[in-house]
Amino acid sequence: MKKLTLIFALVAIAFTSCDDGSKELNEKHAQLMRDSDSIQQAHTQLKADLETLKQDHMTLTQDTTRVMQDSTMMEDLAQHEVMIQKHEGMLVGHEAMVEGHSALRDSFADLSNDEKKSQMDEMENVHDQIMDDHKTIKDEMEQMREDHQALRDKWRDDETDDAEDTPADQ
């Protein structure tokens, strides 16, 4: 009986001491999935903000072509158009990356620990890249908004100057 108890104790110790790290990997994976969800929410908001900026830009460009002949401002608006298209492309690429994360969520349990580690390292790199891109996009969008406001202010000033230069009807 003592031998049997000793054998069970040794087996129990062997099972508890043979942790292959999967618990830590699963916890890390769960955290990465939460991070991925947060990134998706930020991505959705950024995409909506970009669409709003794009609409504002289109309106401003249409107004500019009717009202102004300032080639410098037209060049600035053309550069903004290129940046908006670049941002849209970046966001589409991010969506593909995040879809890969969702696929990993479904198949994670079937992977070996080495595969899990590799996949999670890649996810961390992708998360870092997406967050860096989001910061860049936000900064460039803010600059475009400021440029748009400066253009509107210039129009208003030009209109005021033109109104003051026009002789009053008598």
Side-chain angles (χ1 to χ4, degrees):
M1 185 69 171
K2 279 185 166 183
K3 287 182 182 180
L4 190 56
T5 305
L6 182 61
I7 290 173
F8 284 129
L10 289 174
V11 169
I13 291 171
F15 278 122
T16 58
S17 65
C18 290
D19 181 19
D20 61 358
S22 61
K23 181 179 178 184
E24 290 82 19
L25 289 174
N26 288 334
E27 289 171 2
K28 185 175 180 181
H29 177 258
Q31 181 60 47
L32 283 171
M33 289 295 104
R34 286 189 295 274
D35 292 347
S36 184
D37 291 342
S38 294
I39 289 171
Q40 283 179 313
Q41 289 175 350
H43 175 83
T44 300
Q45 182 61 49
L46 190 60
K47 192 173 179 180
D49 291 346
L50 181 62
E51 186 60 33
T52 301
L53 179 65
K54 182 179 176 181
Q55 293 300 321
D56 184 50
H57 175 78
M58 289 171 53
T59 301
L60 191 59
T61 300
Q62 290 170 353
D63 291 345
T64 302
T65 56
R66 283 194 311 255
V67 177
M68 300 190 92
Q69 298 303 319
D70 186 342
S71 63
T72 307
M73 290 184 189
M74 296 301 284
E75 289 173 20
D76 288 345
L77 289 173
Q79 288 175 342
H80 290 179
E81 181 71 27
V82 170
M83 283 197 308
I84 289 170
Q85 290 173 356
K86 177 184 86 170
H87 295 166
E88 288 175 329
M90 291 168 78
L91 293 175
V92 168
H94 294 169
E95 289 170 5
M97 291 179 206
V98 170
E99 284 177 21
H101 294 178
S102 296
L104 176 62
R105 183 182 308 218
D106 298 335
S107 66
F108 188 76
D110 299 332
L111 301 175
S112 71
N113 283 350
D114 289 337
E115 290 171 319
K116 288 176 182 179
K117 287 178 188 175
S118 176
Q119 290 291 331
M120 288 188 299
D121 288 344
E122 182 59 28
M123 276 182 78
E124 287 176 332
N125 292 336
V126 168
H127 285 179
D128 290 344
Q129 180 63 48
I130 289 173
M131 288 187 292
D132 287 345
D133 289 350
H134 281 182
K135 182 179 180 339
T136 299
I137 291 170
K138 285 178 184 178
D139 291 347
E140 290 177 352
M141 286 173 52
E142 185 59 34
Q143 183 59 51
M144 281 189 273
R145 284 186 190 103
E146 290 173 9
D147 291 348
H148 287 174
Q149 188 58 47
L151 180 58
R152 286 184 180 97
D153 292 345
K154 182 174 178 4
W155 283 352
R156 189 173 40 253
D157 292 346
D158 288 349
E159 287 175 355
T160 302
D161 290 345
D162 288 346
E164 291 173 358
D165 291 342
T166 304
D169 293 322
Q170 297 181 357

